[in-house]
C-alpha cells in the first residue's frame, strides 16, 4: 500500500521543507470541446528526500537510448509542438515512457482537482471553487503540513484563476511565515514537470471514462483497458491518500 506521504525522520535542529508544485490543464476564460475540463494538480515533495541521483539516472538513460533531454510538457509532446516540434511520434512515445519511469522513481505524491469548465461561467467562480477545494485539502492534512517549518509553493503558470486559488488557500490555512512562494531552480523543474505529467494522466482518465479519447490517446496509451492497466494504475500509486 502506498504511504500517504514520503516523509523522512530528521533532527529537530534541522529545518523541514515540503515543496508543493502546481500545474493546470485547461482554459480559465473559455472552453471548447478540447478544453471542457479544467484540472489543477499539486505534487508534494519532502526536500529531505534528495532527487539528484534519480534525475542523473534519467538523464543517463536518455543518453544511452540516444534520446533528447527535452523538458516535459504533455500538450507539446502529444501534438509535436514547442520543443517537440519535428520529433516523430515513435520518439515522443519513448520520451513519454522515459519520463513516466522518472516520475515512478521520485519520492513524491500528488493530488488532482478536476472541474467541468461549463459549470463555471466566469474564471472568478472557477478560482473560488479551486480555492475552497485546496483549502479543504490543506485543512484535512494540516497535521502533516505543520510537521514542516516551511511549505515552499511553486507555480510558474500564467493563469490568474489558478494563482489566486493557490495563494488564497495557502495564505488562509497556513501562516505567512510558513507558506513561501518560490521560483524554480534546475532540479525543481523536473518536479514541476511531474505535476504536468500527473495532470495529463488524470485528464486522459476523465476522457477515457467519458468515451472522449482522442486518436493521440489511442496511439500513445491504447484502449481504455490498456490505459488503466499500463498507465493509470501505475500513476495512482503516487496519489496522496
Amino acid at each position: 500500500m502506498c504511504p500517504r506521504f514520503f516523509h523522512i525522520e530528521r533532527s529537530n535542529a534541522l529545518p523541514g521543507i515540503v515543496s508543493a508544485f502546481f500545474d493546470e490543464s485547461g482554459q480559465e476564460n473559455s472552453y471548447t470541446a478540447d478544453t471542457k475540463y479544467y484540472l489543477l494538480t499539486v505534487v508534494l515533495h519532502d526536500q529531505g528526500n534528495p532527487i539528484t541521483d534519480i534525475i542523473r539516472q534519467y538523464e543517463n538513460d536518455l543518453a544511452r537510448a540516444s534520446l533528447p533531454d527535452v523538458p516535459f510538457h504533455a500538450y507539446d509532446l502529444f501534438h509535436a509542438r514547442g520543443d517537440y516540434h519535428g520529433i516523430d511520434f515513435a520518439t515522443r512515445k519513448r520520451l513519454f515512457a522515459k519520463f513516466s519511469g522518472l516520475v515512478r522513481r521520485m519520492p513524491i505524491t500528488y493530488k488532482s482537482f478536476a472541474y467541468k469548465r461549463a459549470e463555471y461561467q466566469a474564471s472568478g467562480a472557477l478560482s473560488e471553487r479551486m480555492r475552497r477545494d485546496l483549502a479543504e485539502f490543506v485543512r484535512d492534512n494540516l497535521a502533516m503540513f505543520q510537521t514542516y517549518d516551511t511549505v515552499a509553493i511553486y507555480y510558474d503558470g500564467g493563469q490568474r484563476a489558478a494563482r489566486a486559488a493557490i495563494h488564497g488557500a495557502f495564505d488562509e490555512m497556513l501562516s505567512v511565515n510558513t507558506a513561501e512562494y518560490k521560483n524554480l531552480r534546475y532540479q525543481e523543474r523536473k518536479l514541476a514537470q511531474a505535476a504536468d505529467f500527473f495532470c495529463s494522466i488524470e485528464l486522459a482518465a476523465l476522457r477515457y471514462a467519458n468515451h472522449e479519447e482522442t486518436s493521440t490517446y489511442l496511439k500513445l496509451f491504447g484502449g481504455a483497458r490498456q490505459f488503466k492497466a499500463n498507465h493509470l494504475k501505475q500513476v495512482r500509486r503516487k496519489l496522496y491518500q
Side-chain angles (χ1 to χ4, degrees):
M1 182 177 178
C2 179
R4 282 175 61 85
F5 192 65
F6 293 88
H7 184 67
I8 64 168
E9 295 297 327
R10 59 178 183 270
S11 167
N12 290 333
L14 296 176
I17 302 174
V18 61
S19 298
F21 297 86
F22 286 88
D23 195 67
E24 88 292 319
S25 175
Q27 297 295 323
E28 63 178 353
N29 293 317
S30 62
Y31 69 94
T32 65
D34 290 335
T35 58
K36 65 184 293 184
Y37 303 108
Y38 194 101
L39 281 79
L40 182 66
T41 296
V42 57
V43 165
L44 299 172
H45 172 239
D46 184 326
Q47 290 193 14
N49 288 318
I51 59 173
T52 304
D53 290 343
I54 297 172
I55 293 176
R56 185 179 298 116
Q57 179 185 345
Y58 166 74
E59 293 170 340
N60 291 339
D61 286 346
L62 291 177
R64 283 192 294 268
S66 299
L67 291 170
D69 187 2
V70 182
F72 183 85
H73 188 271
Y75 184 86
D76 288 348
L77 186 150
F78 291 166
H79 301 285
R81 298 182 61 175
D83 291 329
Y84 294 89
H85 179 70
I87 300 178
D88 63 85
F89 182 81
T91 300
R92 286 184 279 126
K93 186 173 182 177
R94 293 173 67 199
L95 286 169
F96 187 93
K98 290 292 186 183
F99 194 82
S100 178
L102 169 65
V103 169
R104 289 198 301 271
R105 291 192 296 272
M106 288 199 291
I108 57 178
T109 54
Y110 81 99
K111 178 72 174 179
S112 282
F113 306 89
Y115 310 93
K116 290 183 178 179
R117 187 64 188 84
E119 295 178 358
Y120 303 91
Q121 295 301 314
S123 62
L126 174 64
S127 182
E128 174 58 20
R129 174 59 191 274
M130 289 191 294
R131 184 201 64 78
R132 293 200 310 267
D133 289 346
L134 276 174
E136 181 179 6
F137 174 70
V138 176
R139 185 185 304 111
D140 289 346
N141 298 283
L142 193 58
M144 180 277 290
F145 283 109
Q146 288 180 336
T147 64
Y148 295 91
D149 299 293
T150 301
V151 178
I153 298 169
Y154 300 82
Y155 176 63
D156 272 3
Q159 298 209 26
R160 294 181 181 179
R163 186 184 303 112
I166 293 165
H167 278 260
F170 280 85
D171 291 349
E172 173 188 345
M173 298 306 303
L174 301 174
S175 69
V176 175
N177 292 331
T178 301
E180 294 185 0
Y181 299 86
K182 302 283 191 177
N183 294 320
L184 291 171
R185 295 175 296 184
Y186 171 70
Q187 289 197 2
E188 292 162 344
R189 293 187 184 278
K190 286 290 189 288
L191 294 165
Q193 291 162 24
D196 184 355
F197 173 85
F198 288 124
C199 238
S200 71
I201 292 294
E202 291 294 343
L203 177 58
L206 272 175
R207 288 182 169 166
Y208 272 106
N210 292 309
H211 307 290
E212 299 167 348
E213 57 268 36
T214 65
S215 59
T216 300
Y217 282 172
L218 293 173
K219 288 171 64 178
L220 185 64
F221 301 127
R225 183 174 299 179
Q226 290 172 295
F227 169 73
K228 289 179 181 178
N230 300 328
H231 299 278
L232 187 61
K233 182 179 179 180
Q234 297 294 327
V235 165
R236 289 276 173 85
R237 291 175 179 172
K238 294 289 190 180
L239 188 64
Y240 190 95
Q241 301 292 340

